[in-house]
Amino acid sequence: MSILVLIVPLALLLGLFFVGAFWWGLRRGQYEDLESPKHRMLLEKD
Amino acid sequence: MSTSTGVINTEKFDHKYDDEIVKYFLMATIIWAGVALLLGIYAALELANYKFNLGLQWLTFGRIRPLHTNAAIFAFGGNGIFAGIYHSSQRLLKTRLFSDKLSWFHFWGWQLIILAAAITLPLGLTQGKEYHELEWPINIAVAIVWIAFGINLLQTIRRRKEPHIYVALWFYIATFVTIALLYVVNSIEIPVSWFNSYPVYAGVQDALVQWWYGHNAVAFFLTTPFLGLMYYYIPKAVNKPVYSYRLSVVHFWSLVFIYIWAGPHHLLNTALPEWAQTLGVIFSVMLWIPSWGGMINGLMTLRGSWDKVKTDPILKFLATGTIFYGMSTFEGPLLSLKSVNEVAHYSDWIIAHVHGGALGWNGFILFGMVYYLVPRLWKTELYNKSLAETHFWLGTIGIVIYIVSMWTAGIAQSMMLNAVDATGHLVYPDFVQTVVRIVPLYYVRSLGGLMYFVGYLLMVYNVVKTIKGAPVALAASAKREEANPVLKLDTQALVQESISEGPHRVLEGFPMVMTVLAVAAVLVGTMIELIPMITSTNAQSEEFAAFKVKPLTSLQLAGRDIYVREGCYLCHSQMIRTTVGDVLRYGPASETADSMYDHPFQWGSKRTGPDLARVGGKYPDLWHVRHLLNPRDIVPQSIMPTYSWLLEQKLDLGTIERRFSVLKMLGVPYSDEDVKNAAENAKKDSIAIAEDLVKQGGPQGLENKEITALVAYLQSLGKQTEKR
């Protein structure tokens, strides 16, 4: 099962990437307001 | 980053979106949908009656089936998500796509890849890994085009004129990143020639990589992008905000962290180590909760609008698609339970499961999107609403017929295969006895598919009429201009409010909880995967050490390549599970050692015919020749195709030395002598088999014909491994 030496770190890397993305989102205030985005996306006409 | 300007002064910004590219992807979606569906019906009919292949090797089930799955997933599904992603992203980000050149490169590149698939797959040029059949030059093309798509998407996001990244976009990003990684890892192969290669992984390792990829192709190609589309088009179509935005964000992050670990559920009760199986089960069951959260979120968006759903075909498709998402994500975890899996795996139940997902969830979301987009992009009204309504009902009934017939076929056949009488013997020792019983259901399934296809044709007609009837510019769009003024005011107030509350909200409540959970999930995943791995690596090599495994001879290897070319693995498994039924029917459960030199592994995923892991020596050579020439000469009720060309076509040994040396490089214990003499040895063995066949009363002149290689390979199955 030495293949796990490849797959597991890769899956973890992917996980870390998403943790990073999440962290980035937090830092940029992406999740400060979880109410208005859903209304705003409706404003676009088509 | 400024948070407020983008919202209130939307008019200030450049609104010239690139809708041309969306139109092209949309048209490609519609065209390839037809191809994928027709191929599906055709493959279904071939299972009901082999004669539908017209005796042509390019049309046999083993070659049509990969064409069907690739067309459905990558041509229909792929073009559909690209159309939706490019359309919705521009609007969500309030900016034009990053680069027109990249967009068009993406479009034409993708169509060329599909064309290459349509040519190579019927020719039998395949890697023999499901949903990853395309050969290495096409793999490279896919990777390049995919990266072009990713750059285009990410750069568009970077240049957005709207500060917030709506949840749909997160789903798109995850799609790009994850598929890129999975695809590349599963594509690591060593070329033998332009259209032939061997994966670097073998046996159980290849199985794990393949299903890590395979499962996540479902997760990140057929689920996350479609969820993004759901979170965009349902609110847009009903003109109401998503029920809970917070829930949609939780849905996204939990899926992203859990999905990647669920792959081993495709290999339950096999030679895969027990702990890896258990891990797959746990994560699969965990997936159920966020998935249903997402489904409920999508459906609750329609609360109070059910009267609209009744009259609007767009909403009907989107809502029903979402319900099918719920069904598939409930069935999935259920199928991951080992006891359920024992019955369902290798059976038509799985076929029912994937078609619930593909036809119900993917298909309906895309059809809903087509009905939404065509009138808007061509600035007109839909030609005929009741035709779309009919499409919906034909589609829905078609899916139900399909699913119910395949559930029945799968469960019935598995029950028969596993039935043991009081004396401990199989009630149905002949595999074909169980096949005969479900053949009528194969026709019923084709009927379901046909209904779905007829519905699709109505859509094509409707779309063509809509586009043809579209005036240059029409008042239709003007109607939509009157966006809800009350809503607008509300939103502005809300935005102001959230801005004034400021950043200390980050430190409390929801986001913190999410971070902690996310990190915890990753850490737990690490522990569960890594600790047993470290301990089992030794155990595993001990297990290999307990066996002496002979690598295939050059003739057997040439036969194996023919086995892969003909797609025998799409009807036959080579993996005797540890279950009672399997062991009684096929012999001792397969060991990981049995396939340790198999590049690629041939465990299979569906048993339309019996398992072949230990078929070597079960019958004389002549039996196999006659069986392949016409299975019905030996088993009158067989549904296996004829392979008469194998008796005529000359065995191609042109690359056999190279094939040997590639495998040697990958760790198969061939000596330099073996490599050097590969072609000669193969010829010698082929002549010996041919002479023997004549002695047994078989046909003359089979030396150096493909059939001798395939028979040599079949006779090797289960014979290569010896306990030390």
Side-chain angles (χ1 to χ4, degrees):
Chain A
M1 297 305 294
S2 52
I3 190 63
L4 292 169
V5 177
L6 176 68
I7 297 191
V8 172
L10 280 174
L12 286 176
L13 207 69
L14 205 66
L16 274 178
F17 169 83
F18 284 119
V19 171
F22 184 67
W23 192 246
W24 177 88
L26 279 184
R27 295 287 300 272
R28 291 303 186 93
Q30 288 290 328
Y31 298 122
E32 279 173 35
D33 170 13
L34 289 176
E35 201 44 47
S36 72
K38 66 178 188 181
H39 298 286
R40 269 183 294 161
M41 63 85 75
L42 291 172
L43 296 180
E44 194 69 26
K45 273 165 241 94
D46 58 345
Chain B
M1 170 152 292
S2 68
T3 28
S4 60
T5 44
V7 190
I8 295 144
N9 303 323
T10 44
E11 307 309 326
K12 240 179 32 195
F13 296 105
D14 176 13
H15 270 216
K16 269 189 255 132
Y17 298 146
D18 184 1
D19 282 343
E20 206 54 25
I21 191 75
V22 180
K23 286 182 182 175
Y24 269 73
F25 271 120
L26 203 62
M27 286 300 119
T29 310
I30 296 176
I31 292 167
W32 290 120
V35 175
L37 293 174
L38 270 180
L39 284 166
I41 298 170
Y42 187 58
L45 288 171
E46 286 189 327
L47 286 185
N49 191 330
Y50 76 97
K51 281 187 187 151
F52 277 100
N53 69 31
L54 310 175
L56 298 172
Q57 50 183 312
W58 309 280
L59 299 183
T60 49
F61 179 79
R63 301 196 193 180
I64 288 297
R65 198 265 193 178
L67 199 60
H68 161 61
T69 53
N70 277 280
I73 300 170
F74 300 110
F76 173 40
N79 279 301
I81 62 182
F82 296 142
I85 288 175
Y86 278 171
H87 173 262
S88 60
S89 299
Q90 298 186 79
R91 279 138 182 99
L92 288 169
L93 300 164
K94 297 198 167 61
T95 187
R96 191 183 172 90
L97 287 173
F98 166 63
S99 157
D100 288 8
K101 281 206 186 99
L102 270 184
S103 303
W104 288 110
F105 175 75
H106 175 195
F107 178 80
W108 289 112
W110 198 254
Q111 312 314 316
L112 280 178
I113 287 163
I114 297 169
L115 203 66
I119 294 168
T120 54
L121 292 175
L123 290 175
L125 302 170
T126 171
Q127 288 197 27
K129 292 172 61 154
E130 284 176 81
Y131 323 120
H132 202 287
E133 287 88 353
L134 302 178
E135 267 298 349
W136 67 272
I138 313 178
N139 290 164
I140 294 172
V142 171
I144 292 172
V145 173
W146 189 256
I147 285 169
F149 157 64
I151 293 174
N152 213 10
L153 174 69
L154 293 177
Q155 287 289 27
T156 310
I157 293 175
R158 225 167 66 95
R159 291 160 44 133
R160 68 189 183 280
K161 309 245 166 59
E162 150 70 51
H164 182 75
I165 300 175
Y166 186 71
V167 67
L169 294 156
W170 284 103
F171 277 104
Y172 304 159
I173 297 170
T175 302
F176 163 64
V177 174
T178 314
I179 292 293
L181 178 80
L182 294 163
Y183 193 83
V184 169
V185 173
N186 199 31
S187 294
I188 302 178
E189 62 232 5
I190 308 289
V192 170
S193 61
W194 273 102
F195 284 98
N196 186 14
S197 63
Y198 293 121
V200 293
Y201 325 104
V204 60
Q205 321 243 12
D206 194 33
L208 208 56
V209 175
Q210 160 63 19
W211 286 114
W212 186 62
Y213 161 84
H215 177 71
N216 288 299
V218 175
F220 289 93
F221 204 88
L222 298 176
T223 306
T224 52
F226 285 85
L227 286 170
L229 299 181
M230 177 188 91
Y231 279 124
Y232 181 78
Y233 288 107
I234 288 189
K236 285 302 241 182
V238 70
N239 197 22
K240 267 190 176 174
V242 63
Y243 171 64
S244 164
Y245 191 64
R246 192 170 290 249
L247 183 55
S248 72
V249 173
V250 177
H251 183 197
F252 171 75
W253 289 106
S254 43
L255 279 195
V256 160
F257 287 116
I258 302 176
Y259 246 130
I260 200 84
W261 305 101
H265 70 206
H266 289 258
L267 303 168
L268 297 182
N269 302 308
T270 67
L272 184 73
E274 190 75 25
W275 62 266
Q277 299 186 25
T278 309
L279 179 76
V281 174
I282 294 170
F283 277 91
S284 306
V285 173
M286 276 165 64
L287 274 171
W288 177 44
I289 295 162
S291 301
W292 270 45
M295 170 191 69
I296 291 166
N297 204 4
L299 292 178
M300 286 296 276
T301 305
L302 300 167
R303 76 198 181 287
S305 308
W306 290 105
D307 50 321
K308 260 199 204 166
V309 178
K310 259 189 230 157
T311 56
D312 184 359
I314 299 172
L315 288 176
K316 267 207 182 90
F317 274 113
L318 295 177
T320 313
T322 307
I323 292 170
F324 274 113
Y325 171 63
M327 203 187 87
S328 301
T329 52
F330 175 73
E331 199 181 22
L334 184 73
L335 289 170
S336 305
L337 303 176
K338 271 185 143 181
S339 50
V340 180
N341 193 272
E342 181 179 344
V343 175
H345 191 48
Y346 292 133
S347 86
D348 284 307
W349 187 350
I350 304 300
I351 313 297
H353 174 59
V354 299
H355 284 83
L359 299 173
W361 160 237
N362 302 129
F364 271 22
I365 292 290
L366 291 185
F367 293 150
M369 191 183 88
V370 167
Y371 285 118
Y372 176 91
L373 284 179
V374 168
R376 280 171 177 78
L377 290 176
W378 275 270
K379 306 215 168 9
T380 179
E381 298 281 349
L382 186 66
Y383 168 69
N384 187 333
K385 220 169 154 180
S386 63
L387 218 53
E389 190 86 359
T390 317
H391 173 194
F392 170 79
W393 284 111
L394 275 172
T396 307
I397 298 169
I399 298 173
V400 172
I401 292 177
Y402 192 112
I403 297 182
V404 172
S405 60
M406 287 299 94
W407 273 338
T408 318
I411 294 172
Q413 189 177 26
S414 280
M415 291 298 178
M416 285 188 268
L417 287 174
N418 291 334
V420 177
D421 64 19
T423 62
H425 291 96
L426 292 168
V427 179
Y428 302 92
D430 285 340
F431 190 91
V432 78
Q433 288 174 293
T434 69
V435 175
V436 178
R437 299 281 280 277
I438 60 169
V439 164
L441 289 167
Y442 285 167
Y443 281 108
V444 175
R445 173 253 297 265
S446 315
L447 179 76
L450 190 67
M451 286 179 71
Y452 193 89
F453 181 68
V454 172
Y456 156 83
L457 288 180
L458 296 183
M459 180 185 81
V460 173
Y461 177 73
N462 214 347
V463 165
V464 169
K465 284 298 229 185
T466 304
I467 294 175
K468 277 204 171 148
V472 194
L474 203 80
S477 52
K479 244 203 275 172
R480 283 189 294 273
E481 304 264 320
E482 340 154 346
N484 192 337
V486 183
L487 189 68
K488 222 171 207 164
L489 273 177
D490 270 351
T491 326
Q492 286 177 15
L494 279 167
V495 174
Q496 293 304 344
E497 192 186 316
S498 67
I499 292 162
S500 60
E501 262 187 60
H504 31 259
R505 272 183 63 176
V506 183
L507 296 174
E508 52 184 76
F510 170 76
M512 263 330 266
V513 175
M514 274 307 294
T515 324
V516 173
L517 285 181
V519 174
V522 173
L523 285 180
V524 171
T526 323
M527 306 284 272
I528 298 177
E529 293 254 348
L530 278 180
I531 293 170
M533 186 209 90
I534 294 159
T535 50
S536 88
T537 333
N538 299 329
Q540 209 55 45
S541 49
E542 259 168 46
E543 201 185 324
F544 278 151
F547 297 96
K548 189 172 165 332
V549 183
K550 259 188 303 181
L552 296 178
T553 67
S554 50
L555 187 68
Q556 289 164 345
L557 181 74
R560 184 175 198 280
D561 288 340
I562 293 170
Y563 183 93
V564 170
R565 180 189 81 193
E566 297 299 342
C568 307
Y569 65 92
L570 294 167
C571 281
H572 292 287
S573 58
Q574 288 184 24
M575 172 45 63
I576 302 169
R577 292 175 297 171
T578 49
T579 63
V580 177
D582 267 28
V583 172
L584 270 180
R585 185 173 297 275
Y586 304 117
S590 293
E591 304 282 353
T592 42
D594 291 340
S595 52
M596 68 186 286
Y597 298 134
D598 270 11
H599 300 262
F601 79 114
Q602 290 292 294
W603 293 7
S605 69
K606 174 70 175 58
R607 283 180 186 154
T608 302
D611 186 273
L612 298 181
R614 300 199 187 281
V615 84
K618 185 175 171 188
Y619 307 109
D621 288 359
L622 185 57
W623 187 97
H624 285 293
V625 173
R626 291 181 54 211
H627 187 250
L628 287 163
L629 184 57
N630 184 3
R632 278 142 300 276
D633 283 351
I634 293 180
V635 183
Q637 289 159 313
S638 180
I639 60 169
M640 178 164 142
T642 58
Y643 289 95
S644 52
W645 51 88
L646 297 177
L647 281 76
E648 290 148 22
Q649 280 168 192
K650 193 164 175 305
L651 184 61
D652 179 8
L653 294 172
T655 58
I656 194 75
E657 280 127 8
R658 174 119 181 92
R659 281 183 256 175
F660 253 50
S661 66
V662 167
L663 288 176
K664 177 166 186 275
M665 189 177 101
L666 293 175
V668 182
Y670 290 127
S671 66
D672 291 335
E673 287 290 287
D674 292 336
V675 175
K676 211 175 74 203
N677 301 328
E680 233 167 89
N681 289 341
K683 275 184 204 144
K684 247 191 281 167
D685 293 350
S686 175
I687 291 169
I689 290 180
E691 280 171 358
D692 208 46
L693 283 169
V694 175
K695 270 189 224 139
Q696 292 170 35
Q700 299 267 352
L702 291 184
E703 54 277 345
N704 297 322
K705 293 286 171 0
E706 289 184 336
I707 188 93
T708 54
L710 185 56
V711 170
Y713 172 61
L714 290 172
Q715 296 292 25
S716 80
L717 292 174
K719 296 284 170 199
Q720 303 301 98
T721 314
E722 258 175 62
K723 264 215 160 77
R724 275 194 211 268

